[in-house]
């Protein structure tokens, strides 16, 4: 047994101060991932600071049509918020598909941004893993890696980022608001999630004690016609083998705007910028969709076990794009 001290923070400033002052401490929100990792001896904090009492549960509609989501807002509450469902359907769908109902009622939006990878080698607390023990190696490179990443990988890590809603937020150019010892900071979401490179244990730019307090999602008309498509081994609660968050605007059969991000195939929520470049100004047809998807996956780095993800991701993108641009087409 390992002794762990526990306290509840009454305000953001005291929560930040307590964790900042103790390098062995960590924040505790919904606990749907962190408690598992504590039990598995993957995370070893000596102090947990519970932030569930902090006034960070809001889901606020902004005058410009955007939405601001408090970090302690539950995933289920955000998915059901009228402003999210009406103006950001891809985000609402990603939240519903991201976890079981029980987990959605507990898990927080800020915690979802900070959740750790689902790689079995990271979670067994024994195998060499550069995320858990920097410099020890990556067991997944030559191990069982069917579910691992094919984009954004390095020789140090090929673990897939697990979040669904972060994929939608990536497509929507969300911004992450934090409070820390250095004051308020705002991160573009693409900068908030780091590629592994040679330092896969550094997943975010946050300082120790820096707390996510909110997520800002700016309104964009392209989100009105959007969806989240998730392909997995089973229909019930399971992580994505490939997923797509996409919004499209067309005029007379030509794509005037598009946002697209991938999940399940990369080491971070993956903004498919090559796809967007190919599609803007192009005809909205299957041939164009397939060409754009192929260009995005051209730099994929595969193993014999996960090479199938290249075609799967391409097919998933094509299906999602066809669904949005041809509403009468059967799914």
């Amino acid at each position: 047994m390992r002794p762990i001290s526990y306290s509840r923070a009454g305000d953001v400033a005291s929560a930040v101060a307590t964790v900042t002052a103790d390098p062995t401490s960590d924040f505790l929100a919904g606990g749907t991932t962190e408690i598992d990792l504590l039990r598995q001896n993957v995370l070893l904090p000596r102090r947990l600071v519970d932030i569930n009492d902090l006034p960070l549960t809001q889901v606020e509609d902004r005058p410009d049509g955007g939405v601001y989501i408090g970090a302690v807002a539950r995933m289920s509450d955000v998915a059901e918020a009228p402003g999210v469902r009406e103006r950001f359907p891809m985000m609402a769908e990603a939240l519903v598909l991201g976890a079981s109902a029980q987990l959605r009622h507990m898990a927080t939006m800020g915690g979802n941004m900070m959740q750790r990878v689902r790689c079995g080698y990271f979670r067994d607390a024994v195998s060499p893993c550069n995320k858990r023990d920097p410099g020890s190696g990556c067991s997944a490179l030559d191990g069982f890696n069917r579910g691992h990443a094919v984009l954004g990988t390095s020789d140090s890590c090929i673990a897939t980022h697990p979040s669904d809603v972060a994929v939608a937020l990536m497509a929507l150019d969300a911004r992450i608001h934090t409070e820390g010892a250095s004051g308020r900071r705002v991160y573009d979401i693409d900068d908030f999630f780091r590629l592994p490179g040679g330092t896969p244990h550094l997943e975010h730019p946050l300082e120790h004690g820096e707390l996510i307090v909110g997520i800002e999602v700016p309104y964009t008309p392209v989100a009105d016609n959007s969806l989240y498509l998730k392909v997995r081994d089973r229909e019930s609660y399971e992580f994505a083998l490939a997923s797509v968050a996409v919004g499209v605007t067309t005029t007379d059969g030509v794509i005037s705007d598009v946002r697209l991000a991938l999940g399940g195939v990369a080491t971070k929520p993956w903004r498919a910028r090559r796809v967007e470049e190919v599609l803007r100004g192009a005809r909205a047809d299957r041939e164009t969709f397939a060409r754009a998807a192929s260009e995005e996956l051209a730099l994929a780095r595969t193993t014999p076990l996960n090479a199938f993800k290249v075609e799967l991701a391409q097919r998933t993108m094509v299906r999602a794009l066809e669904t949005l641009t041809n509403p009468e087409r059967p799914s």
Side-chain angles (χ1 to χ4, degrees):
M1 298 291 290
R2 288 180 292 105
I4 297 177
S5 62
Y6 169 88
S7 62
R8 298 181 75 94
D11 57 75
V12 171
S14 63
V16 168
T18 301
V19 174
T20 300
D22 182 358
T24 69
S25 64
D26 202 358
F27 299 112
L28 176 67
T32 55
T33 295
E34 188 163 15
I35 298 302
D36 288 342
L37 297 178
L38 284 169
R39 290 170 174 165
Q40 294 165 333
N41 291 316
V42 176
L43 297 182
L44 303 171
R46 292 205 291 265
R47 175 193 293 269
L48 291 176
V49 178
D50 192 320
I51 61 171
N52 283 286
D53 291 340
L54 301 186
L56 302 174
T57 61
Q58 70 271 42
V59 184
E60 297 177 352
D61 292 327
R62 293 292 175 85
D64 62 357
V67 64
Y68 182 86
I69 303 166
V72 187
R74 307 296 167 176
M75 290 172 59
S76 56
D77 292 334
V78 179
E80 295 168 4
V84 173
R85 293 172 59 189
E86 294 166 8
R87 298 192 300 279
F88 304 99
M90 71 164 76
M91 179 165 49
E93 292 170 5
L95 285 163
V96 171
L97 293 173
S100 66
Q102 294 92 333
L103 286 175
R104 294 199 305 273
H105 290 323
M106 284 295 297
T108 66
M109 292 296 290
N112 189 281
M113 298 301 98
M114 297 296 292
Q115 68 174 304
R116 306 304 300 273
V117 296
R118 294 286 166 170
C119 175
Y121 299 107
F122 169 76
R123 289 174 173 258
D124 69 10
V126 176
S127 302
C129 172
N130 288 318
K131 277 188 178 292
R132 179 171 25 81
D133 184 14
S136 63
C138 176
S139 299
L141 286 171
D142 298 312
F144 183 73
N145 50 37
R146 176 177 177 270
H148 285 64
V150 299
L151 293 171
T153 62
S154 73
D155 291 334
S156 297
C157 184
I158 59 171
T160 307
H161 194 276
S163 176
D164 288 286
V165 70
V167 179
L169 293 172
M170 182 67 72
L172 294 167
D173 287 329
R175 292 185 281 269
I176 310 297
H177 292 242
T178 68
E179 290 282 353
S182 301
R184 185 89 167 194
R185 290 180 176 173
V186 181
Y187 299 90
D188 290 337
I189 194 166
D190 208 3
D191 297 328
F192 182 79
F193 294 106
R194 288 180 166 175
L195 292 172
T199 56
H201 60 292
L202 302 176
E203 298 177 348
H204 310 282
L206 304 184
E207 300 174 348
H208 179 71
E210 191 173 354
L211 174 67
I212 298 176
V213 295
I215 301 169
E216 176 190 356
V217 187
Y219 174 68
T220 174
V222 74
D224 293 338
N225 183 42
S226 68
L227 61 78
Y228 184 73
L229 178 60
K230 181 176 182 178
V231 178
R232 44 193 169 174
D233 281 325
R234 59 186 183 187
E235 183 62 25
S236 60
Y237 173 46
E238 182 60 277
F239 293 95
L241 290 172
S243 65
V244 176
V246 58
V248 179
T249 302
T250 59
T251 305
D252 297 327
V254 175
I255 297 172
S256 54
D257 197 10
V258 59
R259 301 279 189 88
L260 194 147
L262 295 171
V265 295
T267 54
K268 61 179 279 185
W270 189 265
R271 184 69 175 267
R273 300 192 186 279
R274 290 186 180 88
V275 168
E276 295 177 355
E277 290 174 3
V278 171
L279 293 183
R280 287 194 180 98
R283 296 292 303 178
D285 56 42
R286 185 179 182 86
E287 181 180 353
T288 304
F289 300 156
R291 176 166 57 87
S294 178
E295 289 197 21
E296 189 66 46
L297 273 296
L299 297 180
R301 176 184 176 183
T302 65
T303 71
L305 291 178
N306 71 8
F308 75 95
K309 283 195 171 189
V310 172
E311 182 174 357
L312 180 63
Q314 293 179 38
R315 287 174 176 242
T316 305
M317 281 188 275
V318 170
R319 178 180 170 187
L321 287 161
E322 285 190 315
T323 300
L324 287 179
T325 56
N326 298 285
E328 303 303 320
R329 179 184 176 88
S331 59

